[in-house]
Amino acid sequence: MSSVDAPVAGTASDLLLLRPWLEEQPFFLLSSASAAGACDCSYRGREMHGVPEPLLHVMDAGSLVIPDYRGNNLFNSIGNLLEHDRIALLFVDFTQQCTVMIQGRAEVAVRQADRGPAWQTIFPTAPRAIFIQVSRVQTAPVADLPHLEWVAD
């Protein structure tokens, strides 16, 4: 999955250290919950229609932005984040048998005026973006995680 070395467990406190690894991952799992506590977990991968767009963009040592593309039109994650801004992202690297969990607070940007036009330059086909102020990064090796590799047809 990744040609970038996975982060060492317990040492990642700065997103800039993780930037190359994070930005090379093909997917992550996004978790959110409504104000009433109803949880949702969804797969997020790269937009592959036309020119592939980045999975995410690390903005600085404590924040990142992820695109929100058209999905099943249920808006579970976005609806939850509009009610309750807590978010967690889980990255799984099957090749290097490790995970990275990022937790923080999210802000949904819907229009170009929200957070400026820069995010639309990074993710030109995304109708929305989610800005995350990171509060915690936790890395962990997972010894029993199956070793999987992508094989081209």
Side-chain angles (χ1 to χ4, degrees), residues 35-153:
C39 297
D40 181 68
C41 183
S42 61
Y43 168 90
R44 299 296 174 107
R46 295 177 186 275
E47 177 63 34
M48 299 303 287
H49 300 293
V51 177
E53 295 183 12
L55 180 67
L56 59 84
H57 176 70
V58 175
M59 297 169 51
D60 56 41
S63 61
L64 57 90
V65 59
I66 60 174
D68 183 60
Y69 299 107
R70 186 176 177 164
N72 59 13
N73 289 323
L74 295 177
F75 297 99
N76 291 335
S77 298
I78 295 298
N80 285 347
L81 294 172
L82 291 173
E83 285 186 7
H84 183 68
D85 66 355
R86 305 271 177 151
I87 189 169
L89 310 178
L90 179 66
F91 298 83
V92 181
D93 188 328
F94 292 97
T95 303
Q96 300 184 57
Q97 295 185 311
C98 70
T99 62
V100 174
M101 183 176 62
I102 297 174
Q103 294 172 296
R105 293 189 177 271
E107 176 187 341
V108 178
V110 180
R111 298 175 303 280
Q112 188 167 356
D114 292 346
R115 292 285 198 138
W119 69 268
Q120 290 184 334
T121 302
I122 299 167
F123 312 111
T125 66
R128 292 164 298 280
I130 302 169
F131 288 81
I132 301 169
Q133 190 62 44
V134 175
S135 58
R136 182 177 184 201
V137 177
Q138 182 178 358
T139 63
V142 183
D144 294 330
L145 193 63
H147 182 78
L148 301 176
E149 291 186 34
W150 301 108
V151 178
D153 294 335

Side-chain angles (χ1 to χ4, degrees), residues 4-5 7 11-22 58 61:
V4 176
D5 287 340
T11 63
S13 60
D14 185 333
L15 286 181
L16 297 177
L17 296 173
L18 286 170
R19 174 185 262 165
W21 188 87
L22 288 169
V58 175

